[in-house]
């Protein structure tokens, strides 16, 4: 059962912090509850690999994050940490962390939805980066009757999870050590004049956590874990609901993959929309001017009465 840790009150909404799962396989999450909820659907945010849900709460320079902006505008939402990915209550040993896959993560997300949403209300998934593939699998294969839409920001992860090409590398991947995002990758995903560069070290220190290596290997379709690729394979793509994909213009790899993702989705779902935000990088939720992006998502939902 979910255990409530604390209840924070803001101007026109409150936030409760809870945890599901067992000690060594648990997930911390936050439920944002507006006093005047504008729509029935509840948005569930699944973040990128190696990031805590603080990425949704505030920008590195202390501005309101997307979660608070959505809540202020009357949308109920839930943000989740990845399984054993909460630095303040880090329960997994290194050995346990290295056994975790996206399957355990998705199972706990389903448990959060069961605990907080009930059986009647619809869910809108929001997937960012490595969280994107998981929300598509959850929506199409596990919760198809519950999901009314998918929102995405750079929602493809390192590679296109539906794409058949595997990652070829002459260097074996260490599956016995937690994966840390390389500094060169950090510099790349922060590459935008709208990202507060003077706070990059704070971002590294306060927002990042190790990633289970199996999750990275599965995401990248490494040959070493070929027997686990099916974890991120969408088996029932015709169940995919309407989708709105957003990418930042500075995230060149994300833009390219986003176009491939849109092309693939259009085979199964007519209502697939995309938008490109000028000057935004892969960490769009940390860029200055994020409220305009939140408004884009809300307008898209409103047009569909979601």
């Amino acid at each position: 059962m979910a255990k409530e840790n604390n209840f924070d009150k803001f101007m026109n909404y409150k936030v409760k912090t809870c945890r599901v799962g067992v000690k060594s396989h648990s997930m911390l999450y936050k439920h944002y509850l507006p006093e005047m909820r504008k729509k029935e659907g509840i948005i569930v945010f699944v973040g990128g690999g190696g990031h805590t849900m603080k990425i949704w709460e505030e920008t590195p320079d202390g501005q309101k994050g997307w979660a608070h902006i959505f809540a202020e505008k009357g949308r109920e939402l839930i943000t989740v940490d990845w399984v054993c990915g909460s630095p303040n209550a880090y329960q997994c040993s290194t050995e346990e962390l290295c056994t975790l896959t996206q399957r355990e993560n998705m199972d706990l997300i389903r448990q959060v939805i069961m605990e907080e949403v009930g059986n009647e209300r619809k869910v809108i998934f929001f997937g960012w980066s490595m969280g994107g593939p998981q929300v598509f699998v959850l929506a199409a294969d596990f919760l198809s009757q519950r999901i009314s839409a998918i929102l995405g920001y750079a929602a493809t992860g390192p590679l296109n999870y539906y794409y058949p090409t595997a990652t070829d590398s002459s260097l074996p991947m260490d599956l016995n050590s937690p994966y840390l995002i390389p500094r060169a990758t950090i510099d790349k995903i922060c590459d935008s004049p709208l990202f507060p560069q003077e706070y990059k070290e704070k971002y590294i220190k306060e927002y990042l956590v190790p990633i289970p290596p199996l999750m990275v290997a599965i995401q990248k379709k490494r040959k070493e874990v070929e027997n686990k690729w099916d974890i991120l394979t969408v088996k029932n793509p015709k169940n995919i609901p309407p989708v709105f994909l957003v990418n930042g213009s500075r995230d060149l790899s994300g833009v390219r993959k986003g176009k491939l993702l849109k092309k693939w989705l259009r085979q199964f779902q007519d209502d697939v929309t995309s938008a490109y935000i000028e000057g935004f990088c892969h960490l769009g939720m940390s860029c200055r001017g994020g409220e305009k992006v939140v408004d884009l998502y809300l307008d898209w939902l409103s047009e569909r009465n979601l």
Side-chain angles (χ1 to χ4, degrees), residues 4 67-68 96 204 244 252 286 292:
E4 185 172 315
H68 290 285
E96 289 170 325
I204 293 170
F244 183 27
L252 298 181
S286 295
K292 67 180 180 182

Side-chain angles (χ1 to χ4, degrees), residues 11-25:
M11 183 176 64
N12 62 345
Y13 60 97
K14 55 188 178 181
V15 182
K16 69 174 182 178
T17 302
C18 302
R19 182 178 294 277
V20 294
V22 297
K23 184 175 181 181
S24 61
H25 289 74

